[in-house]
Amino acid sequence: MHSYLGRWPTVVTRFLNFNAVRLVANISLNTASKKFDSIENEKIRREEDYEYEYKDQLDILRRHERLTVDSTNPQYMTAVFNGEFNRDILTYPELLTKTESIEMNKLSECLKTFTNKIDRKKIERENHIDKDIVKEMKKLKLFSLVIPEEFDGLNLNSQLSIRIFEELAVNPTITTMLLVHTEYAVRSILLYGTNNQQRYYLPDLASGELVGTACITEAHCGSDIRAIETTAKPKKHDEKIYVLNGKKMWITNGENAGLFLVYCKTNDKITHKDYDDRFSFFLVHRDMDGVKISPTISTLGLRGLGLTHIEFENVEIDSTQHLIGQLGEGLNILRNLHGYVRTTLSGMCVGVVKKLTELTVERCIKRESFDRKLIDNGLIQKKLFQIELDTYGMESMTYLTSGILDSFSMPIISIESAITKIFSTDKLYRIATDCLEIYGVEGIEIGHPIEQYLRDIRPWSMFDAPNDVLRLLTAWEGVTNVSSKLSDYVKKIRNPFDFPALTIANVLYELKEKAEIWRVPFTFKHDLWKCVHPSLGVPSKDLEYAIFVLRNTTKQAVVKSGRDIIDNQFYLRRLAEIAIEIYGMTAMLGRASRSYSVGLKNCDHEKALTFSYCTHAREHVTQLENEINQKEHSLGDEHMQHIAKRMLKAKGYTVTTPSIIVFYLFFVSRFLHKMGRLTPEIIEGSPQYLNPVGQYELSLRDLKIPVIENLGCTLNQFDTIDFTNNDLRKLVSLIYLYSSAKNRIVEGLHQYIPNLDTIILSNNNIQELSDIDPLASLTKLTHISLTRNPIAMKKDYRLYVIHTLPNIRTLDFNRIRLKEKEAARKMFKTKSKEAAKNKNKSKTFVPGEGLDGKPQQQTSQTPKISKKDTEAIKKAILEAKSFEEVEKLKAILQSGQIPSELTGEKQNGHGDETMEQDEEENQQQQQDDEKQQSVGNAMEV
């Protein structure tokens, strides 16, 4: 508050000066408007007979001084990632003088007359643009917007050409065709072509007799322009001649274009240190030998665009006449051309939004629902407010970017143009969806303007590159700039013991910056409030706050992750969203400040829109900052990645439908007791979900499984497998075991699960200390829990476990202390391992063992088993078909009582009958097994 009070006289003086300027401007406008009204009426009468004759207007709009600064512009948004901000960008560019504005309005009326005559339904129906429309476009010189006057062009700068594109955007097909012709073919020759190329191509391109297009996209590379396969190799005997081979896909204007700007690979390896010099641009004529053009492709929207595939087969090109720029300069040329394309495309989005707004407002005024007009509903008013706010932001960002293009001879606006395109195309599609909701079912009728616009604008977000790719490129370029400046600092700060003073200074600096955030009013080092109108001081603070947050989050990312930040797309997307909000606030602040200072009509409305946008933008930036500072698992990023990987493994939707779940449950309940095994079918039909700790879990509860087996069919898809409430008697593979009826750990676990690091055996029946000895073979075991087991009540339980498993870190979810390790070593130093076993031997009875753990000696009372009987029992064991039969035969062998059915002897005269019954039972069992096997095969299919 003290800073504001100290500046109060200055603020009042500034405010009075600005109001005086507004008053003078309003008086002059009111006085001049009366004079111009009479002049305009006379000119309208004169021009009634010739509708499209507007040569005088174009003469005024031509700019002879096309560039104000002969240099490269400072990269505004790239520097923002490092906390730097060039305050010159807040000076919003002057678009038109008063005279130019009047003439531009008249030109706009002529263009509206032209677009109103176009039959969009006919173009969609025939998928073709009539020659009459092209003839009118030639008459209006729409093919020569940016071509200089010496080549019979209009010589318009970027701002004026975008204004014309905005007026023509009511017909997206026509505008998209002109976009590719103007900003790819014409602009490449204008900026990088030789004098001979300009004299040869520009006159025909200006008249419309020669239509140009760009051949960049290929089927397999998508947005990765470095992965193209179209090549141009020099001939062996004549290095000036290049042979072009490859296929380009989805070429705009391919049906009618006569000149192709082809992007191809001329070198297999990078030879330049500063940039990638493997790619180049060539001009290819339609009538050259080897050029093959496919039939026109039908698309969802933008019908009539003449979309085709073009194949080049051994096309010979003279590099002295057809090479654009220098050899190997293609990637840099494409980058600069994209700046013009994205900015012009944003202007087209503004034109479509204004048309949609007109249609929607008219609908809201005329339509009545529930005895009240739509405009009186609060939700409709909210939608209209959001449409107005987004349109103002789109228009402000577009003309700010175009002003940068016109102010420098070699502008570099890769980030600014990408941000403008992302914002404009995303908001346009959302606005079109809102307009469709306001229109209701009427809007989805084929041929309705809303329906047509919704289809035509959808491909624009994928034009040049998808918006998600542009977000990553924007953040990547900003992070790369920061990392190059902080490379030494990052190396030192990541080694705190080598540079303790720097570490302490960094901690204190971070605490100071956190305290700065809570200071009211918030100020950063830029003092942006001095560069805007005093009434916009609060939004300027919001902009400073966003710059402060972007610098801190980018710096923390570079220090924390280093080069790995490039692979964290979730992090990069959030940084890009903050940068988009910063550029939007910058454009709207500069425009509103200029409008309010000059006293333009509706300047109060612009100020209100700027306040609203900056308030919402600051809230969004704060939310993104909190997400960046949180850990990934708390945001759900890891969960999203895990689920996406499971979808890839399943090759589609992974969750089982409810009807199939019911069938699986019926199958399990019907055959579980009969099979008694953990089969792949049971695993496939069991529930799968994310548990509370964020692990993907397979639940095998309450299945009474005796043996853990067949887990190979899970293909390592699960982090956790739950065996709660089963009847486990043999452990073959263990990931997670809890509350099972288990009382013994078998030996040799390291042969099956050598990499096991965690075992949870809570609430089981492990009795003695020696029962955990088999776990000593698991050298990578670091975490174990034996809570609620009888063993946990034994004396020196923790010390024995620590001694037996020296690599564990936590026992019963408690960390192993150094003192406990020393105590265990002292206690068991003088005791041998065998003595500890004999003292604490398990009392669990095992058939064939005595009470002392040694094999039980046969006494004279135990009948001896003959060799023949032993062989019969072994044969029966080999032929056993279940685990229960093997255990039963083992007990028979140890007891010495051999049933007669095993030896084949008769007993009580019924031996033959018993054998026949056994054979029948075996046959029945074999049939049941075959039936179960067939059912299992069917379930696998």
Side-chain angles (χ1 to χ4, degrees):
M1 293 300 294
H2 295 289
S3 58
Y4 274 139
L5 292 176
R7 295 194 300 265
W8 180 248
T10 306
V11 172
V12 172
T13 304
R14 286 173 175 268
F15 182 76
L16 293 176
N17 291 337
F18 277 115
N19 281 333
V21 173
R22 288 180 56 198
L23 181 60
V24 173
N26 287 331
I27 294 173
S28 60
L29 286 174
N30 293 331
T31 305
S33 61
K34 296 179 181 179
K35 297 180 180 180
F36 282 112
D37 287 341
S38 59
I39 297 174
E40 288 179 7
N41 293 331
E42 293 179 2
K43 289 186 176 181
I44 290 174
R45 295 191 193 98
R46 295 174 186 174
E47 296 173 355
E48 285 179 352
D49 296 332
Y50 46 97
E51 194 169 308
Y52 298 128
E53 296 294 334
Y54 57 98
K55 183 176 183 300
D56 295 335
Q57 292 89 331
L58 292 176
D59 288 339
I60 296 177
L61 294 176
R62 287 193 179 100
R63 294 294 183 92
H64 297 281
E65 298 294 333
R66 303 184 73 248
L67 302 172
T68 58
V69 181
D70 190 13
S71 62
T72 301
N73 63 298
Q75 301 182 39
Y76 298 104
M77 293 306 299
T78 305
V80 168
F81 282 86
N82 200 30
E84 302 172 2
F85 188 83
N86 191 331
R87 297 193 295 182
D88 293 339
I89 198 173
L90 287 174
T91 304
Y92 202 78
E94 295 289 339
L95 300 180
L96 299 171
T97 63
K98 194 168 188 178
T99 305
E100 291 173 339
S101 178
I102 294 173
E103 300 301 332
M104 189 68 206
N105 292 333
K106 294 179 181 180
L107 177 59
S108 300
E109 293 298 327
C110 296
L111 295 176
K112 287 180 181 179
T113 305
F114 164 68
T115 54
N116 291 335
K117 289 183 178 181
I118 298 176
D119 189 356
R120 294 183 60 196
K121 295 182 179 179
K122 183 179 179 181
I123 294 177
E124 289 219 353
R125 184 171 59 253
E126 297 178 357
N127 196 17
H128 178 74
I129 299 176
D130 289 341
K131 294 182 179 179
D132 295 337
I133 298 177
V134 178
K135 186 177 179 180
E136 290 294 330
M137 294 171 63
K138 293 178 181 178
K139 186 178 178 181
L140 290 169
K141 292 190 175 183
L142 296 179
F143 292 98
S144 63
L145 297 178
V146 298
I147 297 177
E149 294 180 58
E150 58 181 308
F151 303 113
D152 198 22
L154 299 182
N155 195 29
L156 301 182
N157 60 9
S158 295
Q159 295 175 342
L160 294 175
S161 66
I162 289 173
R163 178 67 185 277
I164 292 180
F165 273 99
E166 179 184 329
E167 297 295 338
L168 293 172
V170 293
N171 194 306
T173 300
I174 300 294
T175 318
T176 306
M177 182 188 71
L178 283 177
L179 171 69
V180 176
H181 168 83
T182 303
E183 301 300 352
Y184 276 119
V186 174
R187 189 75 69 176
S188 61
I189 298 174
L190 194 61
L191 295 179
Y192 301 99
T194 62
N195 294 331
N196 292 332
Q197 288 174 338
Q198 292 179 1
R199 286 193 297 267
Y200 183 81
Y201 289 109
L202 290 182
D204 291 338
L205 291 171
S207 63
E209 298 298 328
L210 182 65
V211 179
T213 188
C215 300
I216 300 173
T217 309
E218 296 184 9
H220 69 283
C221 67
S223 302
D224 186 5
I225 56 178
R226 300 174 187 264
I228 62 170
E229 295 182 352
T230 301
T231 59
K233 300 297 183 182
K235 296 184 72 173
K236 295 182 180 179
H237 304 292
D238 190 357
E239 295 184 354
K240 296 181 179 179
I241 304 299
Y242 279 75
V243 180
L244 181 65
N245 286 281
K247 186 175 182 180
K248 297 295 183 177
M249 308 291 288
W250 309 294
I251 305 304
T252 306
N253 294 347
E255 181 184 12
N256 303 314
L259 183 66
F260 304 123
L261 181 67
V262 182
Y263 178 70
C264 57
K265 182 184 291 186
T266 54
N267 196 353
D268 295 331
K269 296 182 180 179
I270 301 175
T271 58
H272 202 280
K273 296 180 180 180
D274 298 331
Y275 62 91
D276 191 344
D277 61 344
R278 293 177 297 169
F279 309 97
S280 303
F281 272 107
F282 287 96
L283 294 173
V284 180
H285 295 175
R286 185 187 187 94
D287 55 358
M288 284 184 174
D289 295 334
V291 178
K292 301 178 181 179
I293 302 175
S294 71
T296 305
I297 302 170
S298 297
T299 55
L300 171 69
L302 297 177
R303 294 180 60 81
L305 198 56
L307 211 64
T308 60
H309 304 324
I310 301 179
E311 185 176 359
F312 305 98
E313 184 177 354
N314 296 326
V315 180
E316 295 187 358
I317 308 170
D318 189 353
S319 60
T320 59
Q321 299 178 4
H322 298 274
L323 177 65
I324 291 294
Q326 301 296 324
L327 193 67
E329 199 180 5
L331 200 60
N332 293 336
I333 293 175
L334 183 60
R335 180 186 181 187
N336 293 336
L337 291 178
H338 279 167
Y340 289 93
V341 172
R342 295 165 187 166
T343 308
T344 306
L345 181 61
S346 302
M348 294 160 54
C349 294
V350 174
V352 176
V353 165
K354 290 182 178 179
K355 182 63 177 179
L356 290 172
T357 304
E358 292 178 5
L359 296 173
T360 305
V361 171
E362 183 180 1
R363 172 76 171 185
C364 293
I365 294 174
K366 294 181 179 180
R367 178 70 172 177
E368 291 186 2
S369 180
F370 299 102
D371 297 331
R372 61 190 305 183
K373 292 187 179 296
L374 287 181
I375 194 62
D376 296 331
N377 292 280
L379 295 179
I380 299 297
Q381 293 171 358
K382 180 181 179 182
K383 289 182 182 295
L384 294 178
F385 159 75
Q386 195 64 45
I387 290 174
E388 180 83 352
L389 183 63
D390 293 340
T391 305
Y392 185 71
M394 293 164 57
E395 192 175 39
S396 302
M397 295 167 70
T398 299
Y399 286 101
L400 175 62
T401 309
S402 65
I404 299 174
L405 286 173
D406 289 334
S407 301
F408 300 92
S409 60
M410 295 298 294
I412 301 176
I413 56 167
S414 56
I415 290 186
E416 290 83 358
S417 61
I419 289 175
T420 305
K421 187 250 182 181
I422 292 169
F423 186 89
S424 299
T425 52
D426 284 350
K427 298 299 183 182
L428 172 61
Y429 190 72
R430 191 194 62 78
I431 290 172
T433 306
D434 289 344
C435 294
L436 180 63
E437 291 180 359
I438 293 175
Y439 262 88
V441 180
E442 181 183 344
I444 65 174
E445 183 181 353
I446 297 297
H448 194 278
I450 302 296
E451 180 268 338
Q452 285 183 321
Y453 281 124
L454 197 58
R455 286 188 291 106
D456 288 342
I457 65 176
R458 197 65 190 100
W460 284 355
S461 63
M462 297 174 283
F463 210 83
D464 162 34
N467 287 349
D468 286 338
V469 176
L470 291 181
R471 284 185 174 90
L472 297 179
L473 292 177
T474 298
W476 178 81
E477 191 166 344
V479 170
T480 303
N481 178 60
V482 173
S483 61
S484 62
K485 295 182 178 180
L486 298 179
S487 57
D488 295 336
Y489 172 79
V490 172
K491 292 179 182 178
K492 294 178 181 179
I493 205 66
R494 299 183 79 174
N495 296 280
F497 295 103
D498 297 335
F499 303 94
L502 180 62
T503 303
I504 296 174
N506 181 66
V507 172
L508 296 176
Y509 183 72
E510 289 181 356
L511 293 175
K512 179 183 176 182
E513 287 186 338
K514 290 181 179 179
E516 289 286 338
I517 297 178
W518 298 103
R519 190 176 69 178
V520 179
F522 174 81
T523 57
F524 196 30
K525 60 182 180 180
H526 303 296
D527 292 332
L528 299 182
W529 61 272
K530 298 180 180 179
C531 304
V532 297
H533 192 274
S535 61
L536 296 172
V538 175
S540 66
K541 299 296 181 183
D542 295 335
L543 176 58
E544 286 200 60
Y545 172 78
I547 298 171
F548 177 80
V549 169
L550 181 60
R551 186 202 65 170
N552 287 351
T553 52
T554 306
K555 181 179 177 182
Q556 292 173 5
V558 172
V559 173
K560 181 179 178 181
S561 303
R563 295 181 179 179
D564 296 337
I565 185 62
I566 303 301
D567 298 327
N568 193 337
Q569 295 187 358
F570 296 105
Y571 208 114
L572 293 177
R573 184 193 65 82
R574 294 184 177 99
L575 292 178
E577 291 293 337
I578 297 177
I580 292 172
E581 298 291 2
I582 290 175
Y583 194 64
M585 286 191 285
T586 301
M588 297 176 73
L589 267 173
R591 181 182 178 184
S593 178
R594 169 186 170 274
S595 299
Y596 208 78
S597 301
V598 176
L600 295 181
K601 184 180 179 180
N602 297 326
C603 59
D604 291 330
H605 186 65
E606 292 188 34
K607 187 181 76 170
L609 291 174
T610 303
F611 265 88
S612 298
Y613 182 85
C614 292
T615 301
H616 292 296
R618 175 162 184 163
E619 294 176 357
H620 190 204
V621 169
T622 303
Q623 177 186 354
L624 293 170
E625 180 191 18
N626 295 334
E627 291 179 2
I628 291 174
N629 293 332
Q630 291 178 7
K631 295 183 179 179
E632 293 184 358
H633 65 81
S634 60
L635 290 173
D637 293 347
E638 294 181 351
H639 294 173
M640 287 189 289
Q641 292 177 322
H642 187 85
I643 292 174
K645 291 178 181 178
R646 283 194 49 80
M647 292 178 65
L648 293 177
K649 291 180 180 179
K651 296 182 179 180
Y653 185 61
T654 57
V655 181
T656 307
T657 59
S659 59
I660 297 180
I661 292 176
V662 172
F663 174 74
Y664 271 128
L665 293 177
F666 171 78
F667 175 79
V668 171
S669 62
R670 176 68 178 82
F671 296 101
L672 180 62
H673 295 290
K674 195 168 185 178
M675 293 189 298
R677 297 179 56 188
L678 179 60
T679 62
E681 290 79 12
I682 295 178
I683 295 175
E684 186 69 22
S686 300
Q688 306 169 11
Y689 49 84
L690 283 174
N691 61 21
V693 296
Q695 297 176 339
Y696 203 74
E697 182 173 316
L698 171 66
S699 179
L700 298 175
R701 295 183 171 215
D702 302 315
L703 298 179
K704 304 303 178 185
I705 300 171
V707 180
I708 300 178
E709 55 188 340
N710 292 323
L711 291 183
C713 66
T714 61
L715 298 176
N716 295 325
Q717 298 178 12
F718 305 100
D719 302 316
T720 302
I721 300 180
D722 187 357
F723 288 100
T724 301
N725 296 331
N726 286 288
D727 190 20
L728 298 175
R729 287 169 288 177
K730 184 177 181 182
L731 186 62
V732 178
S733 177
L734 177 63
I735 296 179
Y736 181 93
L737 181 62
Y738 181 80
S739 187
S740 297
K742 177 168 178 53
N743 56 14
R744 187 183 177 206
I745 303 175
V746 299
E747 298 181 356
L749 289 176
H750 64 283
Q751 300 176 4
Y752 306 100
I753 42 176
N755 296 323
L756 184 67
D757 61 359
T758 302
I759 294 181
I760 309 297
L761 290 172
S762 303
N763 198 17
N764 279 277
N765 193 24
I766 300 177
Q767 298 283 342
E768 301 296 339
L769 297 175
S770 59
D771 289 339
I772 66 169
D773 288 349
L775 298 178
S777 60
L778 301 175
T779 57
K780 295 186 179 182
L781 183 63
T782 57
H783 308 281
I784 186 172
S785 175
L786 299 170
T787 58
R788 297 189 298 276
N789 278 272
I791 187 178
M793 306 301 295
K794 297 289 183 179
K795 183 180 179 181
D796 300 329
Y797 152 69
R798 286 186 63 88
L799 297 181
Y800 184 82
V801 174
I802 295 171
H803 169 73
T804 307
L805 309 174
N807 295 326
I808 63 170
R809 298 178 182 177
T810 61
L811 174 59
D812 297 339
F813 304 104
N814 292 320
R815 188 176 179 181
I816 302 297
R817 303 294 180 183
L818 182 61
K819 294 182 179 180
E820 291 180 311
K821 290 185 178 181
E822 294 177 354
R825 185 174 64 254
K826 292 179 180 180
M827 175 175 289
F828 295 98
K829 184 175 181 181
T830 56
K831 299 180 181 179
S832 63
K833 196 171 184 180
E834 290 296 329
K837 287 184 179 180
N838 294 333
K839 182 178 181 181
N840 300 314
K841 183 62 180 176
S842 174
K843 297 180 181 179
T844 303
F845 175 74
V846 178
E849 293 185 359
L851 296 178
D852 57 353
K854 297 181 180 180
Q856 188 176 3
Q857 300 293 333
Q858 293 185 354
T859 59
S860 58
Q861 296 177 357
T862 304
K864 295 183 179 180
I865 303 175
S866 63
K867 185 176 181 181
K868 180 179 179 181
D869 295 340
T870 303
E871 294 296 330
I873 294 177
K874 289 182 179 181
K875 182 178 179 181
I877 292 174
L878 293 175
E879 294 177 353
K881 298 180 180 180
S882 65
F883 182 77
E884 289 79 1
E885 293 182 15
V886 174
E887 293 291 337
K888 182 177 179 181
L889 292 171
K890 182 179 178 181
I892 292 174
L893 180 63
Q894 292 175 350
S895 64
Q897 299 177 1
I898 311 301
S900 59
E901 58 267 18
L902 294 179
T903 58
E905 297 179 357
K906 296 183 180 181
Q907 190 174 9
N908 297 331
H910 299 286
D912 295 337
E913 296 179 1
T914 303
M915 293 179 64
E916 292 177 358
Q917 294 177 358
D918 292 341
E919 292 178 359
E920 292 178 357
E921 292 178 358
N922 291 337
Q923 292 178 359
Q924 183 66 28
Q925 182 67 26
Q926 185 176 1
Q927 293 177 359
D928 293 340
D929 293 341
E930 292 177 354
K931 184 177 180 180
Q932 294 178 16
Q933 184 66 25
S934 62
V935 172
N937 295 335
M939 292 302 300
E940 290 183 3
V941 174

